[in-house]
Amino acid sequence: MKLRGEVTVPGDKSITHRAIILAAIAEGEGKIIGWLPSEDCRRTLDAVRAMGVSIQEDRQTLRVKGCGLSGLKELEDVIDCGNSGTTLRLLTGLLSGQPFYSTLTGDGSLRRRPMGRVVDPLRKMGAHLHGRSGSTLAPLTITEKKLSAISYTLPVASAQVKSALLLAGLNAEGTTVITDPYETRDHTERMLEHFGAAFRREGNRCSITGGNQFSGKTIYVPGDFSSAAFLIVAGLIVPDSVITIKNVGINPTRTGLLDILERMGAKIEITDTQTICREPVANIKIVASDLKGADDVGGKIIPRMIDEFPILCIAAACAEGETIIRGAEELRVKESDRIATMARALRAIDVVAEELSDGIRIIGTKRWVGGKCETQGDHRVAMAMKVAQLRTDGEIKLDDEACIDTSFPGFKHFLTQLQYQ
């Protein structure tokens, strides 16, 4: 069995969330073409609709009638963010500056994820936020309060926290300045520039001036690199494979995985690069490769590949030698404790995997055995183990495959589409 052919992965999840929110508070009509109709993104879509925003949808396009910065309406019910941390954190920022009461909650997993990093700086802006465990856990309740701009340095690099503060800053008095310790994904910044908001950035510092309206725009959503990552590694580890993934977003704040894989000896070619709505887009060609372990993955590259940790673990498990990933403690509070969950999943298929406090140590081996793997409901863990199945003797039985639809509807179809005997 080998993988051959060309595919186009679904739209970028991070960009879809942000496009829906910014189109909703723009003035006038906008379009989002190539959006991702995943469970997570629908949580954001349903939330802005509940606040009175008119959105027409089909499989490819959302047509959004924006209501402006002050046009959102008070909700009649709580916002259920499901399992979407992006929805919860970004809407907490947006709603902190709105003149009405709101409550955000989510499923059991999301209610365990820390919110203090968002709540603390929003309170410095004057937001009235209350929640469980000293307002560090959802459900979160937000009551009406005018916000004032602040200058804030993030103690831990986080694109979601940065984005929440930028959204709050849109309705704050003055200019909010945010400094990130490391480069993190910058989709919010690029989109604010695309919409023509009162936004500026220089290096890892950006600023937004409140009270300035902007008009609706057309946004083209590229293929999601984090979804493409699973197919990239599949193409690398299945012998004799050659695949091309078309129209993928290659924003440099997201592509740390490519840098690591190339260090490991991966044969990857980037072609037909172009810029669409300020986002770089390209085709990625992958040829099956003999990978070598990388024993020093860490530092500034971690925020650039944080969502790709599970599939990088699969590449490492197939590589010759040892791979050590450090500085990834943020993964302890994702949809699952991804460090612990991936370590257990790898050991279940007879791969040497040592859990570290802030990462993992993996010893590569050429073939694996089947086994039972607990995903903890984590879509990226489930997809990583489905890729591992391609190199495994015996069946890998997952306790939850439905969670994959959170970010990559039709993932199994894409893998089947590429398989040749």
Side-chain angles (χ1 to χ4, degrees), residues 175-419:
T175 299
T176 297
V177 180
I178 304 162
T179 303
D180 217 337
Y182 292 136
E183 183 181 51
T184 57
R185 64 181 64 182
D186 64 353
H187 300 305
T188 303
E189 294 96 306
R190 289 173 187 259
M191 202 172 295
L192 286 168
E193 290 169 340
H194 178 66
F195 273 97
F199 170 81
R200 294 183 63 184
R201 62 171 165 171
E202 182 178 352
N204 290 349
R205 175 175 292 186
C206 58
S207 63
I208 189 82
T209 301
N212 290 277
Q213 299 282 355
F214 49 88
S215 299
K217 300 283 186 181
T218 296
I219 299 168
Y220 293 90
V221 182
D224 194 317
F225 179 80
S226 293
S227 295
F230 297 93
L231 303 182
I232 290 170
V233 171
L236 291 173
I237 69 172
V238 176
D240 300 320
S241 295
V242 181
I243 66 174
T244 298
I245 310 171
K246 304 187 73 174
N247 299 318
V248 182
I250 56 164
N251 184 312
T253 64
R254 294 279 298 279
T255 55
L257 176 71
L258 294 183
D259 297 343
I260 298 167
L261 290 175
E262 287 173 355
R263 282 171 46 196
M264 296 171 73
K267 298 174 184 176
I268 298 172
E269 182 181 0
I270 307 295
T271 62
D272 300 317
T273 302
Q274 56 184 313
T275 300
I276 303 175
C277 298
R278 298 183 182 263
E279 290 282 352
V281 180
N283 298 336
I284 303 176
K285 180 180 179 181
I286 305 101
V287 178
S289 307
D290 293 324
L291 301 177
K292 307 291 185 182
D295 62 0
D296 59 348
V297 178
K300 294 182 180 181
I301 202 167
I302 294 298
R304 296 178 53 227
M305 50 72 61
I306 197 72
D307 283 343
E308 288 69 55
F309 172 85
I311 195 60
L312 176 58
C313 287
I314 301 304
C318 197
E320 180 183 342
E322 178 182 78
T323 296
I324 299 177
I325 305 169
R326 304 300 300 253
E329 56 270 20
E330 175 74 11
L331 291 164
R332 295 287 189 187
V333 290
K334 286 290 189 178
E335 282 82 343
S336 68
D337 179 339
R338 280 189 179 150
I339 294 172
T341 304
M342 279 306 303
R344 287 194 297 267
L346 290 173
R347 290 195 293 266
I349 60 172
D350 212 23
V351 174
V352 176
E354 178 187 356
E355 181 182 341
L356 309 175
S357 62
D358 62 345
I360 196 168
R361 173 178 172 268
I362 298 169
I363 305 295
T365 183
K366 290 299 182 184
R367 300 299 300 187
W368 314 318
V369 301
K372 295 182 179 180
C373 293
E374 295 184 2
T375 65
Q376 302 296 320
D378 191 316
H379 52 116
R380 300 199 193 279
V381 172
M383 285 188 282
M385 299 313 295
K386 293 299 288 186
V387 171
Q389 177 70 74
L390 301 174
R391 283 291 300 264
T392 303
D393 295 324
E395 182 183 1
I396 297 177
K397 297 181 180 180
L398 304 181
D399 65 338
D400 183 0
E401 293 188 20
C403 61
I404 291 173
D405 287 341
T406 296
S407 64
F408 197 161
F411 172 68
K412 291 172 64 176
H413 168 75
F414 278 83
L415 282 182
T416 301
Q417 181 182 341
L418 291 169
Q419 290 180 20

Side-chain angles (χ1 to χ4, degrees), residues 118 121-122 125 152 154 161-169 176 178 208:
V118 178
L122 288 173
M125 298 176 74
Y152 187 74
L154 297 174
V161 176
K162 175 177 59 176
S163 296
L165 298 182
L166 287 171
L167 291 171
T176 297
I178 304 162
I208 189 82

